[in-house]
Amino acid sequence: MCGLKKDQIYQIAIDGPAGAGKSTIAKLLASKLAFTYIDTGAMYRAITYKILKQCIPLNDVHAMIALAKQTEITIENEHIFLDQEDVTDLIRSEKVTKGVSTVASVKEIREEMVQFQKCISQHSHVVMDGRDIGTVVLTEADLKVFLTASVEERARRRFEELREQQPDVQLKAIEEQIKQRDYVDENREHDPLTPANDAVHIDSTSLSIHEVVENITQLFCEKIKKESVEKLVDGR
Ligand code: DC
């Protein structure tokens, strides 16, 4: 697709707040381009799951860091393994969702995760989503996207997702939780959620998933073509 070079590794970074549709879109995009999809939020969730399982209080930063350093996280076929246990579904619990922003605000835990994320993106073409991908993890990505949607729309999407398993779920409560998570992610000291200077902003509030995937595919192809022409012109 769009003249990818055989000897080059391509990287697409997708950042944005909770519920903007990043993971659905990144997964479809990766499948369309035959790239590997890497969900970095799942890594922060996995370590949060282990911290909670071991009853470590979320204000015991030293214990959380020590635990993170002894933890092995691997990803295979979009499944996430924590010390070899498949935790793909377990990390989506309410408890993990509530605690993960606190865990993700610890500098040393972020450093561990970022190192791992950089490592896995060196060997295959990736679409990686998260909060700091364009600004910290893949600073040289071929394309950086900052995907947003209104708080109301993000809450509505999450509500639709949860309604089947949790019939008593409240839209207002989800909206509050999303606002709270945005606040922590945007205001934390280390690698806060912020668009990279060279990111393309896409507001998905009134776009379908398909439209966003198409939009990003086109942007990527244009970028690749432009880079190839620039290399030819420069004789690089
Ligand atoms: O995308 P998500 O909701 O699964 O992410 C879970 C949490 O992890 C979210 O509160 C922010 C944090 N996170 C982060 O700080 N950096 C990333 N690259 C990915 C997620």
Side-chain angles (χ1 to χ4, degrees):
M1 173 171 281
C2 55
L4 299 185
K5 292 211 179 63
K6 280 209 175 79
D7 54 352
Q8 201 166 324
I9 297 282
Y10 293 96
Q11 301 172 332
I12 301 180
I14 303 185
D15 288 303
K22 295 186 303 294
S23 56
T24 310
I25 284 155
K27 216 181 272 183
L28 286 170
L29 182 69
S31 144
K32 189 170 176 179
L33 298 171
F35 285 14
T36 304
Y37 165 57
I38 300 169
D39 174 0
T40 61
M43 299 178 192
Y44 290 94
R45 285 175 177 272
I47 186 67
T48 305
Y49 169 78
K50 187 168 175 183
I51 287 167
L52 295 171
K53 199 173 171 196
Q54 301 210 359
C55 299
I56 294 174
L58 293 183
N59 58 3
D60 190 345
V61 174
H62 290 295
M64 292 201 291
I65 296 169
L67 193 77
K69 287 189 190 289
Q70 296 157 16
T71 299
E72 187 193 66
I73 294 178
T74 47
I75 299 179
E76 241 173 79
N77 299 326
E78 294 180 13
H79 275 242
I80 183 146
F81 294 84
L82 179 76
D83 302 323
Q84 275 129 49
E85 178 194 357
D86 186 345
V87 292
T88 313
D89 295 329
L90 296 170
I91 60 170
R92 302 284 155 197
S93 76
E94 190 72 13
K95 236 177 135 186
V96 171
T97 303
K98 275 194 183 140
V100 64
S101 286
T102 308
V103 174
S105 63
V106 178
K107 179 171 157 263
E108 289 81 353
I109 293 182
R110 301 201 65 80
E111 284 168 356
E112 289 278 319
M113 301 292 150
V114 168
Q115 197 185 8
F116 177 50
Q117 291 153 11
K118 282 188 171 168
C119 193
I120 44 182
S121 56
Q122 268 166 20
H123 307 291
S124 61
H125 306 313
V126 293
V127 178
M128 190 178 275
D129 79 354
R131 304 293 191 285
D132 58 344
I133 310 306
T135 50
V136 179
V137 184
L138 304 179
T139 51
E140 301 298 318
D142 298 282
L143 177 67
K144 298 178 186 177
V145 174
F146 196 78
L147 189 64
T148 54
S150 67
V151 172
E152 295 76 17
E153 175 61 14
R154 290 188 281 135
R156 194 196 58 77
R157 290 175 188 169
R158 184 89 185 112
F159 176 70
E160 294 299 335
E161 248 174 54
L162 287 177
R163 208 148 60 142
E164 287 213 349
Q165 312 128 24
Q166 300 173 30
D168 55 348
V169 68
Q170 300 283 318
L171 180 63
K172 208 71 208 149
I174 295 179
E175 203 175 304
E176 281 315 307
Q177 211 182 78
I178 284 184
K179 280 187 192 161
Q180 172 76 19
R181 213 136 66 90
D182 283 357
Y183 182 82
V184 178
D185 292 343
E186 286 164 7
N187 293 284
R188 68 176 175 230
E189 192 184 346
H190 309 291
D191 311 336
L193 169 66
T194 182
N197 291 335
D198 50 351
V200 179
H201 293 241
I202 299 179
D203 183 340
S204 73
T205 308
S206 51
L207 295 176
S208 70
I209 288 167
H210 176 73
E211 284 171 319
V212 180
V213 173
E214 275 306 307
N215 205 333
I216 301 178
T217 309
Q218 268 193 9
L219 286 167
F220 176 65
C221 289
E222 279 163 20
K223 194 87 191 284
I224 294 299
K225 272 189 217 144
K226 198 167 155 236
E227 275 173 13
S228 304
V229 172
E230 277 169 5
K231 276 185 188 159
L232 275 176
V233 170
D234 291 356
R236 280 187 266 164

